[in-house]
Amino acid sequence: MLKKEKKYTYFEAGEGTPIIILHGLMGGLSNFDGVANFFPPKGYKVVIPELPIYTQNILKTNVKAFSKFVKDFIVHKGFDQVILVGNSLGGHIGLYFTKMYPDLVKALVITGSSGLYESGMGESYPKRGDYEYIKKKAQDVFYDPEIATKEIVDEVFATVNDRIKLIKTLTIAKSAIRHNMAKDLPKMTTPTCIIWGRNDKVTPPNVAEEFDKLLPNSELFWIDKCGHAAMMEHPEEFNQILFDWLQKKNL
């Protein structure tokens, strides 16, 4: 059940410390079903806003503008401090947000995040009419290709064949490269939990190691037999790692 208020559409469950989840470029809110079910009974409020990835003016289709949208949403909700959890582009938005508004972030959690390494998000688009090619790209996101259901493949195929969405996807890809975080990370002292699939082909394992090396207050956790979306592919393990880390940090 999604709530709608002003320009915001979001999922919300539970009471307690707010965990704000930031989805990726092609990622629906349902990618975080595991997190949304696990954390509310443990004293957390899970909030998943729909990011305006394809709905904002092209000039506001970038990492910086999405971070500002998240800030406005947090202010709208009246939260003092939040735990941010981001996958893929959502991780990048979380990183940029933490750089810009560190006082609002109690802790940051990134998984398969962009921000250091972009494997040319746009390179596959000349073949956008080829369903089998898009299917293969969707399957590459996961260690187990079966997770890329027909529903997921159809959604990606529709997105890359929608001209406006395609232009915005390429705009975001350029923005992700432009907003490389390498120089910023050493100055960011927010506690950061890095959870990464050991078989991630989109943002390979060395990217996680680089994040861990550059961030002064981070811990890195691996999930085996896991691709780019750990919270979808291994939800129980992802939740347990995150919960244990939050407990250890008294968050």
Side-chain angles (χ1 to χ4, degrees):
M1 291 294 294
L2 296 180
K3 296 185 176 183
K4 288 186 193 289
E5 291 164 9
K6 295 189 175 175
K7 62 178 179 179
Y8 307 110
T9 302
Y10 62 97
F11 167 88
E12 184 176 67
E15 289 302 326
T17 304
I19 296 178
I20 306 268
I21 292 175
L22 305 174
H23 61 80
L25 188 60
M26 305 272 180
L29 307 198
S30 62
N31 292 8
F32 289 91
D33 279 354
V35 179
N37 291 324
F38 181 90
F39 281 92
K42 295 186 161 46
Y44 295 91
K45 180 192 280 289
V46 174
V47 186
I48 317 178
E50 276 185 1
L51 299 175
I53 286 174
Y54 296 120
T55 54
Q56 293 206 136
N57 177 301
I58 194 93
L59 297 174
K60 289 188 173 175
T61 302
N62 57 61
V63 171
K64 184 178 179 180
F66 297 148
S67 299
K68 174 74 169 63
F69 175 90
V70 174
K71 178 187 183 265
D72 292 345
F73 176 70
I74 287 170
V75 169
H76 166 74
K77 290 294 294 172
F79 297 142
D80 291 332
Q81 277 196 313
V82 302
I83 296 162
L84 280 182
V85 180
N87 170 239
S88 200
L89 174 69
H92 197 163
I93 295 165
L95 285 158
Y96 193 85
F97 182 97
T98 304
K99 170 194 155 181
M100 297 302 291
Y101 316 107
D103 295 347
L104 291 175
V105 187
K106 206 176 265 216
L108 175 64
V109 183
I110 55 173
T111 179
S113 177
S114 59
L116 281 179
Y117 167 87
E118 301 356 300
S119 65
M121 282 194 249
E123 49 81 37
S124 58
Y125 293 112
K127 297 187 185 173
R128 65 182 186 272
D130 181 343
Y131 187 85
E132 285 305 310
Y133 182 79
I134 296 296
K135 182 178 175 183
K136 172 78 175 70
K137 294 300 272 187
Q139 288 174 336
D140 279 351
V141 170
F142 305 102
Y143 175 78
D144 174 7
E146 294 300 309
I147 293 178
T149 58
K150 184 172 186 310
E151 188 184 13
I152 288 173
V153 177
D154 286 351
E155 197 175 322
V156 175
F157 186 72
T159 298
V160 299
N161 281 284
D162 176 320
R163 189 173 159 275
I164 301 295
K165 285 187 176 178
L166 174 64
I167 290 167
K168 290 193 170 180
T169 301
L170 296 172
T171 304
I172 292 165
K174 285 180 184 148
S175 159
I177 293 162
R178 202 166 60 244
H179 291 100
N180 186 288
M181 303 292 296
K183 290 190 174 71
D184 302 307
L185 298 178
K187 299 176 225 139
M188 291 166 55
T189 56
T190 303
T192 305
C193 178
I194 305 167
I195 307 175
W196 223 264
R198 219 180 257 287
N199 312 90
D200 188 339
K201 293 180 189 169
V202 182
T203 43
N206 62 308
V207 179
E209 288 162 356
E210 189 73 5
F211 271 122
D212 192 38
K213 191 175 89 183
L214 290 172
L215 283 160
N217 190 7
S218 63
E219 260 184 281
L220 170 57
F221 302 91
W222 297 105
I223 298 183
D224 289 326
K225 295 185 176 173
C226 179
H228 186 56
M231 70 291 159
M232 279 178 83
E233 204 156 3
H234 292 281
E236 281 111 358
E237 201 173 338
F238 181 89
N239 290 335
Q240 200 58 56
I241 289 169
L242 177 50
F243 181 67
D244 291 346
W245 184 80
L246 291 171
Q247 293 296 294
K248 190 168 78 176
K249 297 283 182 188
N250 293 317
L251 294 165

